[in-house]
Amino acid sequence: MSQKLIDAVDVPIADIIIGWARQNIARIIRAYSGWEGWAQVEIATALYNDRYAPNADARDAMLAITTTVSREVAIYPPTPTAKGGVSQKRADIVVEFGAPSRREFIVIELKCEGFYNKEAFVQAVKEDTVKVNGDIEHSYKPARAWVLGFSTSQEVYDEMVRQRPKANVIKLYPALQGGPRLSPDELNTVQKVKPVIALWIFEKELLMR
């Protein structure tokens, strides 16, 4: 019998990460060549920080229930390799929360398109969605899993739309209204790379069985 998630449905993960991204567009543009490791640390911190919560209720909810935010956690069952060894896949970010008698988890897999991984980005997001649609260790259930992909170019954005036309996507830059104030160096980078920054969101519940 499945055990339905209770608290996790009220945790505004997407809103917090969108808030972080919108406030850091200029930094993302500066870090365009390769920024996934930096974003992983920043997002893990944002999930433990009320600054990016969309409102007071969301802030209070996060502060009340979040206990630990960890990176590179071995939550997936080990799988044998062709050479007779064992492969251990890890989740980029795991948030543990709730009362001691009712622990729940949020699992986040993150992909960020940079200058050097344009061709691999779409496939990498696909592989992460397959990964979270598999199973996780029983001790990390119940959980809600998120695959978050930041694309940064028109080319990759168009390819994601072609392959995942029903995906939940938030366009962050260029913004429809307002937008970040960029320095001359940042504007120069914008003119060179013409960034189109979007967040692709895929979500999956992993329940007790």
Side-chain angles (χ1 to χ4, degrees):
M1 181 177 179
S2 296
Q3 180 181 13
K4 183 171 177 57
L5 288 172
I6 297 174
D7 296 323
V9 297
D10 298 322
V11 178
I13 294 295
D15 288 338
I16 289 172
I17 293 173
I18 289 167
W20 168 82
R22 283 180 170 150
Q23 291 188 36
N24 287 278
I25 288 296
R27 298 174 73 195
I28 291 171
I29 290 171
R30 288 200 301 271
Y32 172 74
S33 61
W35 58 288
E36 189 169 304
W38 165 72
Q40 191 181 117
V41 174
E42 286 271 317
I43 288 171
T45 303
L47 292 172
Y48 211 75
N49 186 327
D50 64 359
R51 181 161 63 128
Y52 299 104
N55 53 54
D57 289 342
R59 177 198 64 208
D60 292 343
M62 287 299 290
L63 292 177
I65 64 176
T66 301
T67 56
T68 61
V69 180
S70 305
R71 297 174 54 230
E72 300 296 340
V73 183
I75 69 166
Y76 300 103
T79 56
T81 65
K83 295 183 178 181
V86 174
S87 174
Q88 179 66 71
K89 294 181 179 179
R90 298 175 180 271
D92 291 330
I93 301 170
V94 174
V95 184
E96 181 180 357
F97 60 93
S101 61
R102 183 70 165 92
R103 307 307 295 156
E104 297 180 5
F105 299 86
I106 291 172
V107 178
I108 297 175
E109 297 291 356
L110 180 68
K111 287 293 174 284
C112 300
E113 178 199 349
F115 184 78
Y116 299 106
N117 70 337
K118 277 181 178 294
E119 295 180 359
F121 176 82
V122 177
Q123 180 62 26
V125 171
K126 180 179 179 180
E127 290 173 358
D128 272 353
T129 58
V130 170
K131 185 162 64 169
V132 301
N133 275 283
D135 201 9
I136 62 174
E137 297 285 2
H138 190 75
S139 59
Y140 289 97
K141 295 179 182 178
R144 175 156 288 183
W146 301 71
V147 175
L148 303 172
F150 284 95
S151 60
T152 57
S153 69
Q154 186 68 57
E155 175 188 358
V156 171
Y157 178 86
D158 291 344
E159 183 61 20
M160 286 290 291
V161 169
R162 187 184 73 81
Q163 293 196 25
R164 310 299 290 266
K166 296 182 179 180
N168 181 13
V169 58
I170 310 295
K171 249 197 172 173
L172 301 169
Y173 184 88
L176 294 177
Q177 295 180 344
R181 298 180 65 179
L182 303 179
S183 69
D185 285 345
E186 290 158 356
L187 288 171
N188 187 47
T189 300
V190 166
Q191 291 172 356
K192 287 181 179 178
V193 303
K194 296 179 174 58
V196 176
I197 302 172
L199 173 61
W200 302 82
I201 303 171
F202 304 90
E203 189 177 355
K204 171 74 175 181
E205 283 193 2
L206 301 164
L207 304 177
M208 293 288 197
R209 291 181 176 88

